[in-house]
Amino acid sequence: MPGRSRALVILSLSLLNVFTAAAGLAVVKLTPERHLSPQPPSVAARDVVRVQASSAVVPAVPGSGRAPNPSVLAGRLSALVGGPKAKINAVVIDAGTRRPLYELHADRPATPASTTKLATSLAALASVGPAHRITTQVVRGTGGGIVLVGGGDPTLTALASRPGAGHPPYASLSELARQTAATLKATGVSQVRVDYDVSAYQGPPIAAGWKPNYLPDGEVAPVSALTVDEGRVSPSDPTKKARVSDPPASAASQFARLLSKEGVKAKAGRRTAAQKGAERLGAVQSPPMSALVEHLLTDSDNDVAEAVARQVAIKLGRPATFAEAAQAVRQVLAKLGVAEGVAVNDGSGLSPRNRISPLALARIVSLAAGDKHPELRAVITGLPIAGFSGTLSPPRYTAGASRAGAGTVRAKTGTLAGVSTLAGLAYDADGRLLAFAFMAGDGKGPVDPGKLDQLAATVAGCGCG
């Protein structure tokens, strides 16, 4: 590799490491040769990306560089936007000061799609806290029954744990069955009926505005306080997205089978409400909220997002419904001073009725990256890395004008029919930390997410001081 090229690579990687360290982000290790490969990264090349949770929470400093000249930045972005008739709402702000540097209908609410998850995640971390875990338990019931009580854990699984899965251990239904069977056997019980309690959630299982195909297509399961493996019919096969129609009943049936394997003959029962103060027979817990947030942002997991939104409602003493969870999220955002421009109907962003302004998204990201609220850091560490992880994995940021943003842009994506959004962070070429939000489309025609990638790459590559 020529000396000048190698120097540029080293500088690029240095900026990336400064970005990740300063922002409390996951550490990204890239080999220079693979970073500059003229072809889209192969699976082997992407495997060099190692994401390691930062042991120390470090604020995202504004950076040593001077802020961009707004007129220069605007000139570069406007050339890509495509004129005044372009259906794009956009903003770029200085992450440290929140001063707007580029605005195009910045305060005009638009359909956020999955960038809604930024608001959901921020509210969850601010309210229940990053260490909060969701409990699934079994208690004694009546008439020879036991009650499987759902707390809303979206990661509860019946699958065996996998070493190197890339996430903390999920709550295991098998482990819960082992605990419960051991307790029952110790008291001489060898046969039970498995009833189930889903009273932690209320209201309909789908949100206002959700399209009829979302459930049959497997975009999300019916939202319930008790779901195993996100209600997937074939959870061990990631290519199959179909969901069961009644997740709680399916969970009770699976638990009864697991109990029987543990030597306690069991059959699935009915929906009920556990008695207050009933004896606990076993319990398992989800990963901490910080890990749930990182996962739902990186992979844009709709099921986890809806569960996380309901944890906010429960914490605030509201009923755990779609409407109340949405109001709870906004209540927390208001307390943090970032609620203006936010109006949502769900936690995932599947509802086309949601409305968030680009400025609101950029402010949410900036708040999470700042030094005043270290409890919000998982919002930043959960953002996909352009060209390498989550919903920004290849082919995004692997070719053309967007390639300059690979490894340097971290952002949440959003996609619905006729809508594409992108909101996140990047250090520019002068070392200044900038937050941005680009929102394209009106739901009535095709949109090109590649245009948003180019805009973000332009922000990252701007030496516009």
Side-chain angles (χ1 to χ4, degrees), residues 20-60:
T20 56
L25 302 177
V27 177
V28 180
K29 299 180 180 178
L30 307 176
T31 62
E33 291 76 14
R34 283 172 177 166
H35 181 62
L36 289 184
S37 169
Q39 300 297 324
S42 64
V43 173
R46 296 197 299 274
D47 283 346
V48 304
V49 180
R50 299 290 183 260
V51 180
Q52 302 168 341
S54 175
S55 58
V57 175
V58 184

Side-chain angles (χ1 to χ4, degrees), residues 115 118 358 361-362 365 383 410-413 421-425 436-438:
T115 50
L118 291 168
L361 290 172
V365 172
L383 292 176
R410 296 197 70 146
K412 179 72 194 77
T413 58
T421 59
L422 189 70
L425 290 169
F436 61 83
F438 304 115

Side-chain angles (χ1 to χ4, degrees), residues 404-462:
T408 62
V409 169
R410 296 197 70 146
K412 179 72 194 77
T413 58
T415 305
L416 287 175
V419 172
S420 185
T421 59
L422 189 70
L425 290 169
Y427 273 108
D428 70 5
D430 289 330
R432 193 75 180 184
L433 184 61
L434 308 179
F436 61 83
F438 304 115
M439 310 179 75
D442 57 6
K444 298 178 181 179
V447 290
D448 177 17
K451 174 66 70 67
L452 305 189
D453 292 346
Q454 291 178 36
L455 290 168
T458 298
V459 170
C462 189

Side-chain angles (χ1 to χ4, degrees), residues 240-432:
K240 297 180 179 179
K241 300 179 67 176
R243 311 298 183 98
V244 298
S245 59
D246 190 342
S250 176
S253 295
Q254 292 183 68
F255 189 69
R257 289 194 293 271
L258 290 170
L259 271 182
S260 295
K261 288 182 179 179
E262 294 294 332
V264 176
K265 187 177 180 180
K267 65 178 181 179
R270 56 184 175 81
R271 178 172 175 171
T272 189
Q275 292 184 330
K276 188 175 181 179
E279 177 191 357
R280 176 182 281 185
L281 305 176
V284 291
Q285 290 189 310
S286 73
M289 181 58 66
S290 58
L292 296 180
V293 163
E294 288 182 333
H295 167 71
L296 78 87
L297 290 174
T298 299
D299 295 329
S300 203
D301 192 306
N302 297 319
D303 300 273
V304 177
E306 296 302 346
V308 165
R310 277 166 169 70
Q311 293 301 308
V312 180
I314 292 170
K315 178 66 176 181
L316 271 58
R318 292 173 172 268
T321 65
F322 278 104
E324 291 291 337
Q327 289 299 315
V329 165
R330 198 175 190 286
Q331 182 178 338
V332 175
L333 296 182
K335 187 175 181 180
L336 293 169
V338 290
E340 184 179 357
V342 178
V344 296
N345 293 279
D346 64 12
S348 63
L350 284 174
S351 176
R353 299 183 185 181
N354 293 349
R355 292 292 183 271
I356 302 180
S357 70
L359 187 55
L361 290 172
R363 285 171 173 169
I364 285 171
V365 172
S366 296
L367 180 66
D371 59 356
K372 293 183 179 180
H373 295 279
E375 72 277 9
L376 306 179
R377 195 66 65 242
V379 170
I380 305 305
T381 57
L383 292 176
I385 303 170
F388 291 96
S389 67
T391 56
L392 287 183
S393 294
R396 296 186 76 159
Y397 290 91
T398 59
S402 67
R403 189 178 180 83
T408 62
V409 169
R410 296 197 70 146
K412 179 72 194 77
T413 58
T415 305
L416 287 175
V419 172
S420 185
T421 59
L422 189 70
L425 290 169
Y427 273 108
D428 70 5
D430 289 330
R432 193 75 180 184

